Amino acid sequence: MLDKNGIAKRIAREVKDGMYVNLGIGIPTLVANYIPEGINVELQSENGILGMGPFPFEGEEDADLINAGKQTVTLLHGSSIFDSAMSFGMIRAQKVDLTILGAMEVSENGDIANWKIPGKMVKGMGGAMDLVASAKNIIVAMQQVNKAGESKLLSKCSLPLTGVHCIKKVVTELGVYDILPHGGFKLLERAPGISIEQIKNATAGRLIIEGDIKEMLL
Amino acid sequence: MGIVWYIISLPKTKKNLIFVALLFCMINKVVKSADEAIKDIKDNMTLMLGGFGLCGIPENCIAALVKKGVKGLTCISNNAGVDDFGLGLLLQTKQIKKMISSYVGENAEFERQMLSGELEVDLIPQGTLATRCMAAGYGMPVVFTPAGVGTEIAQGKEVRKFKFNGTEKDYLMEHAFDSDFAIVKAWKGDAAGNLIYRSTARNFNPMMAMAGKITIAEVEHLVPVGELNPDHIHTPGIYVHRIFQGEKYEKRIEQRTVRKK
């Protein structure tokens, strides 16, 4: 079973040279640590950065320079800064090649819920609704099973939706799935040491398994 | 033309006085303090406040609003500050009636007021928030965005199908914001109201500056007219009505993340 870093490491393999990539908060942020050498990407932060760099060295933090998670960051050579309207303009116009974000639930028809638990957690959607509505290529990074042991890959989301029919790929601690255009989680890879049986038990939505499913390379 | 001939016919000393007066009317937007800048903000008004998290927020004007004690405010701002800083200060004093934001985590008092029903909250997508400000500043009553289609935020909104980039999909009609005042924070500004922002403290400030019926800008450095390079100006002075140099900027960091040398 993969830990958070393992999920991030597997997703990093989806990142291709020359891409503009938006990383959400949580596991997606970790993906930046595993982008292979020789692959050059520009990270977009929706508060207004292209070419975001790592955290600053101690003592070099700048209150005016933060990422979408409000963490202090740095700028790489060749970076640019812009306002929020332009930032979401480039997202809406599909200039950003790849979006990686977390989720509380994903359904077999590609719906995603990740912003609200009625009566419990109401923090807001931030930029998530804009991202999922416009991005052409979204990967969801998530734990497949919640703390109560229930699957988060469902036939239908139970929480308020963030977007509909927008997710095409999910990477979890157990496996990698494509969401097919006509619905269903198609299992592509198993996490190291995970059996098909374990994956079946952890998937509440329609699971499609065709042929021999290989273990993922990390 | 009569007035022109009248001015020309005046003695030189009076003429100079009129020229100085004209110059002041046209370009001097400087007020001396935050208190003066916000003096006509009244109860139940709608304000836009720039900033993302605690980055690029108008600290001086927020403090002045707390001091003035205006109540029943509707605040349009991406976030609601933290418990003891930013808009959190206006929440503590219960001066805010309604928040229009995209993300309001990290604020326990906010959550308490929202769940108890004391505070009205309208959560909207971040890009929609930015674009509704932009639409106001660009003179467009509505914009169409796909954000939120098929979700609860689409309830009661007009949905239209458009073909764009070769794909046909649904878009929500969203209205330009209508606010009494916009309050923004910039790095540098001049008496004509031209503004330059610094780094990611830019965020929502430029489009909110454009969107206010009256726009107040507080800046870290107020410089003489002519000192800013016109090519570097982010917000042209035409959008700004009042400007002052703020003091004692705390610029608090919400998430201090560092690596070791």
Side-chain angles (χ1 to χ4, degrees):
Chain A
M1 191 184 300
L2 299 176
D3 61 4
K4 286 179 179 181
N5 283 292
I7 297 174
K9 207 168 165 188
R10 172 60 191 84
I11 291 176
R13 285 183 42 225
E14 304 285 321
V15 177
K16 304 283 182 283
D17 196 42
M19 273 184 167
Y20 291 99
V21 183
N22 179 291
L23 302 177
I25 295 162
I27 303 174
T29 307
L30 301 172
V31 173
N33 301 336
Y34 299 102
I35 294 171
E37 216 158 298
I39 302 276
N40 292 305
V41 298
E42 275 206 31
L43 298 180
Q44 200 250 18
S45 188
E46 64 267 25
N47 58 322
I49 311 175
L50 268 175
M52 179 172 58
F55 296 151
F57 288 120
E58 245 175 318
E60 291 175 12
E61 315 89 276
D62 178 351
D64 287 340
L65 182 51
I66 62 169
N67 65 13
K70 285 133 193 161
Q71 298 168 310
T72 45
V73 290
T74 54
L75 298 177
L76 298 177
H77 288 303
S79 63
S80 56
I81 298 280
F82 34 86
D83 64 52
S84 303
M86 185 179 280
S87 183
F88 285 93
M90 64 185 72
I91 288 165
R92 217 178 285 120
Q94 301 189 320
K95 304 294 179 189
V96 178
D97 301 295
L98 176 62
T99 296
I100 302 168
L101 77 177
M104 297 172 189
E105 294 177 350
V106 173
S107 81
E108 63 188 36
N109 65 351
D111 295 352
I112 175 171
N114 69 353
W115 74 281
K116 184 178 184 182
I117 303 171
K120 268 192 199 161
M121 188 212 78
V122 192
K123 293 187 172 191
M125 66 292 279
M129 280 195 184
D130 305 273
L131 282 158
V132 300
S134 293
K136 53 191 169 193
N137 194 0
I138 308 173
I139 301 176
V140 166
M142 66 190 287
Q143 302 286 342
Q144 192 162 334
V145 178
N146 67 17
K147 288 189 185 97
E150 298 155 339
S151 173
K152 292 152 73 177
L153 298 185
L154 307 169
S155 50
K156 197 168 180 289
C157 292
S158 64
L159 295 170
L161 296 178
T162 309
V164 292
H165 306 300
C166 50
I167 308 303
K168 296 192 182 82
K169 188 165 238 152
V170 182
V171 179
T172 75
E173 74 278 22
L174 303 179
V176 180
Y177 309 82
D178 263 352
I179 296 180
L180 300 179
H182 51 274
F185 297 101
K186 185 178 177 186
L187 183 63
L188 302 179
E189 298 170 18
R190 292 176 291 125
I194 297 297
S195 69
I196 295 285
E197 211 49 42
Q198 280 173 293
I199 286 171
K200 278 183 181 165
N201 290 338
T203 312
R206 194 156 69 95
L207 182 65
I208 297 154
I209 302 171
E210 283 170 1
D212 184 30
I213 308 295
K214 296 201 164 42
E215 270 192 15
M216 64 176 76
L217 297 169
L218 285 171
Chain B
M1 285 311 279
I3 183 86
V4 174
W5 286 117
Y6 171 72
I7 292 172
I8 287 172
S9 71
L10 286 173
K12 201 175 174 189
T13 48
K14 280 198 175 167
K15 232 188 289 190
N16 283 349
L17 261 178
I18 288 177
F19 273 123
V20 169
L22 272 175
L23 210 63
F24 262 88
C25 294
M26 283 164 71
I27 58 166
N28 194 0
K29 298 172 178 176
V30 177
V31 294
K32 55 176 195 299
S33 64
D35 294 329
E36 190 187 333
I38 63 142
K39 66 178 189 300
D40 48 353
I41 294 182
K42 298 190 173 65
D43 289 355
N44 303 312
M45 279 189 164
T46 298
L47 314 180
M48 280 182 170
L49 296 111
F52 179 88
L54 301 178
C55 180
I57 58 172
E59 295 182 19
N60 281 248
C61 283
I62 292 171
L65 286 167
V66 171
K67 198 166 92 182
K68 187 171 159 73
V70 276
K71 290 191 185 62
L73 299 173
T74 295
C75 293
I76 302 167
S77 174
N78 189 58
N79 312 88
V82 294
D83 280 323
D84 59 347
F85 200 57
L87 285 182
L89 297 171
L90 283 168
L91 285 165
Q92 269 185 10
T93 49
K94 305 209 168 81
Q95 288 171 263
I96 301 178
K97 177 181 69 181
K98 182 177 180 181
M99 279 298 310
I100 302 174
S101 305
S102 87
Y103 188 83
V104 293
E106 352 311 339
N107 193 323
E109 175 61 14
F110 182 100
E111 208 165 346
R112 191 198 63 73
Q113 288 186 23
M114 176 170 63
L115 293 174
S116 71
E118 288 166 61
L119 180 70
E120 256 180 88
V121 180
D122 195 0
L123 291 170
I124 63 177
Q126 196 175 330
T128 301
L129 182 72
T131 312
R132 288 176 66 187
C133 296
M134 191 197 75
Y138 276 50
M140 301 183 298
V142 296
V143 287
F144 285 90
T145 171
V149 167
T151 74
E152 64 180 46
I153 71 137
Q155 283 165 14
K157 286 182 185 152
E158 186 176 335
V159 179
R160 300 221 354 221
K161 240 183 222 330
F162 291 109
K163 195 173 173 184
F164 181 75
N165 261 358
T167 338
E168 192 174 66
K169 62 180 183 185
D170 286 337
Y171 289 80
L172 295 184
M173 189 167 86
E174 298 280 4
H175 289 263
F177 280 123
D178 189 9
S179 67
D180 298 298
F181 283 85
I183 306 175
V184 302
K185 150 86 192 334
W187 179 47
K188 282 185 177 178
D190 65 18
N194 295 305
L195 303 177
I196 295 177
Y197 308 93
R198 185 175 171 276
S199 202
T200 57
R202 191 181 320 182
N203 56 62
F204 284 85
N205 284 299
M207 67 257 349
M208 287 189 172
M210 294 167 66
K213 274 196 201 73
I214 296 175
T215 292
I216 299 167
E218 58 173 87
V219 298
E220 284 177 61
H221 306 283
L222 185 62
V223 302
V225 168
E227 199 163 290
L228 301 178
N229 181 336
D231 277 334
H232 296 169
I233 286 166
H234 297 125
T235 298
I238 193 168
Y239 286 114
V240 176
H241 304 87
R242 298 171 195 171
I243 188 166
F244 68 96
Q245 182 165 304
E247 52 185 25
K248 298 182 191 132
Y249 279 102
E250 183 178 335
K251 297 221 234 175
R252 201 184 288 187
I253 292 174
E254 220 168 317
Q255 309 273 348
R256 187 180 300 273
T257 45
V258 294
R259 63 194 152 129
K260 290 246 186 288
K261 267 189 195 172

